[in-house]
């Protein structure tokens, strides 16, 4: 239903999945946790830097995270909605580092970013959730934050706002920070690195490069083996048995089966269902 798999990219050339991949969640738990964290982090970024900057970072991080995931994706299906969240987290960390002296509760904000990042990364070790999109989103978000989030809207934030990153609005600190916020070299290097990352990942995806061939242990950053699921990259095959109104799919690897109340489905959809049953 739009999840990303290597076979659909290299053999079926279904590039449209690169745009559905960052919009999908692996289940209700993933959906609730992901959106809760997006709201928690996104509101503070919008308050401090405006919705345009926060939205731009959100979208670009999701896209770059998808490209990174496509370089590491295997034959089992995966979804990557966490890439955009990690983009916001990376941007928040970048803004916090750049404006460190401006914030009064800097260590609380830093601890919040670390806690949310670790929690969602551990969630990404479960089946179907792609952690490589999270890693790519975090790096791109950090680089974009270094470019766009160098100067918060200090005048628009109340001193007693009580947000994630509160400000000390004393005039001598503001005048001192204005001299430090303009970092053209740092911002130029950041946008250059982001451009190289975007171009490199895009070329790699178009060329069908599989990074797992060069990094055998990288897959364990995305999946931890368990008795309940397997991290092995293997092609799934299912036996299909159709009756008048039902379709039965049986996984040849583990014997799991599912009875569907319809028979008129495409081969691509059958392969997706087979991957779910065999996972």
């Amino acid at each position: 239903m739009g999840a990303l798999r290597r076979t659909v990219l290299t053999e079926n050339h279904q590039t449209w999945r690169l745009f559905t991949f960052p919009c999908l969640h692996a289940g209700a738990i993933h959906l609730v946790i992901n959106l809760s964290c997006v709201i928690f982090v996104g509101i503070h970024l919008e308050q401090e830097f405006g919705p345009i900057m926060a939205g731009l970072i959100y979208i670009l991080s999701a896209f770059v995270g998808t490209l990174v995931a496509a370089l590491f994706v295997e034959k089992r299906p995966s979804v990557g909605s966490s890439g955009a969240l990690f983009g916001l987290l990376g941007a928040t960390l970048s803004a916090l580092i750049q404006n460190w002296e401006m914030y009064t509760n800097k260590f609380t904000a830093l601890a919040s970013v670390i806690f949310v990042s670790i929690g969602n990364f551990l969630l990404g070790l479960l089946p179907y959730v792609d952690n490589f999109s999270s890693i790519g989103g975090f790096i791109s978000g950090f680089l974009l934050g270094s470019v766009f989030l160098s100067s918060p809207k200090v005048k628009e934030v109340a001193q007693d706002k009580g947000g994630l990153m509160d400000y000390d609005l004393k005039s001598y600190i503001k005048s001192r920070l204005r001299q430090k916020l303009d970092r053209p070299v740092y911002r130029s290097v950041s946008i250059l690195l982001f451009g190289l990352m975007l171009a490199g990942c895009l070329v790699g995806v178009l060329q069908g490069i599989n990074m797992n061939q060069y990094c055998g242990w990288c897959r364990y950053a995305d999946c931890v083996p368990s008795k309940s699921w397997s991290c092995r990259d293997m092609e799934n095959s299912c036996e299909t048995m159709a009756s008048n109104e039902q379709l039965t799919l049986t996984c040849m690897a583990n014997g799991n089966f599912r009875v569907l109340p319809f028979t008129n489905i495409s081969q691509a959809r059958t392969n997706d269902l087979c991957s779910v049953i065999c996972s």
Side-chain angles (χ1 to χ4, degrees):
M1 296 297 291
L4 200 61
R5 288 189 293 139
R6 178 154 299 278
T7 52
V8 300
L9 283 179
T10 58
E11 298 177 8
N12 301 330
H13 305 289
Q14 297 179 3
T15 54
W16 57 268
R17 290 179 182 259
L18 294 174
F19 300 96
T20 57
F21 170 83
C23 303
L24 297 176
H25 297 80
I29 296 177
H30 185 210
L31 174 66
V32 172
I33 294 178
N34 186 271
L35 293 185
S36 299
C37 294
V38 167
I39 294 173
F40 173 72
V41 179
I43 285 178
H44 297 290
L45 280 181
E46 286 189 357
Q47 289 176 344
E48 295 168 22
F49 302 99
I52 295 179
M53 290 301 178
L56 183 64
I57 292 174
Y58 184 88
I59 294 174
L60 290 177
S61 298
F63 182 67
V64 176
T66 300
L67 296 179
V68 174
L71 295 175
F72 290 91
V73 71
E74 299 185 274
K75 295 177 182 178
R76 60 178 181 272
S78 61
V79 294
S81 58
S82 298
L85 166 63
F86 273 83
L88 297 181
L89 290 170
T92 302
L93 179 62
S94 176
L96 183 62
I97 293 175
Q98 291 185 86
N99 309 300
W100 183 259
E101 296 182 9
M102 175 176 287
Y103 300 120
T104 57
N105 58 347
K106 58 195 73 174
F107 292 104
T108 301
L110 180 61
S112 300
V113 172
I114 295 175
F115 176 78
V116 175
S117 300
I118 293 177
N120 282 272
F121 187 83
L122 294 177
L123 182 65
L125 297 176
L126 297 176
Y128 307 130
V129 185
D130 195 295
N131 256 348
F132 291 109
S133 65
S134 302
I135 296 173
F138 186 88
I139 296 175
S140 59
F142 185 88
L143 294 175
L144 290 171
S146 301
V147 177
F148 298 121
L149 307 185
S150 60
S151 180
K153 298 179 179 180
V154 179
K155 295 181 180 180
E156 299 181 9
V157 180
Q159 189 169 1
D160 57 348
K161 187 72 175 179
L164 178 63
M165 298 182 287
D166 293 335
Y167 300 99
D168 185 355
L169 299 180
K170 295 180 180 179
S171 59
Y172 74 92
I173 292 183
K174 290 195 295 183
S175 61
R176 181 182 176 187
L177 284 172
R178 288 195 189 99
Q179 301 174 358
K180 294 185 177 182
L181 288 177
D182 187 18
R183 305 181 180 93
V185 176
Y186 175 71
R187 294 161 68 181
S188 299
V189 172
S190 298
I191 193 64
L192 176 62
L193 291 176
F194 174 78
L196 291 175
M197 181 180 180
L198 175 60
C201 292
L202 188 59
V203 171
V205 172
L206 294 176
Q207 294 295 324
I209 295 177
N210 184 3
M211 292 300 298
N212 295 297
Q213 296 177 352
Y214 308 98
C215 181
W217 57 268
C218 287
R219 66 182 59 184
Y220 296 109
D222 184 47
C223 181
V224 174
S226 170
K227 294 181 179 179
S228 302
W229 62 80
S230 174
C231 296
R232 292 179 299 171
D233 186 26
M234 57 183 180
E235 190 70 48
N236 298 313
S237 61
C238 290
E239 181 184 44
T240 303
M241 185 172 60
S243 60
N244 293 333
E245 297 180 352
Q246 291 183 335
L247 178 68
T248 302
L249 294 178
T250 304
C251 178
M252 304 301 293
N254 55 24
N256 292 340
F257 68 93
R258 180 173 296 181
V259 179
L260 307 172
F262 44 78
T263 58
N264 186 21
I265 60 175
S266 65
Q267 185 60 42
R269 177 61 176 146
T270 302
N271 294 337
D272 286 339
L273 290 171
C274 181
S275 298
V276 174
I277 296 173
C278 293
S279 300

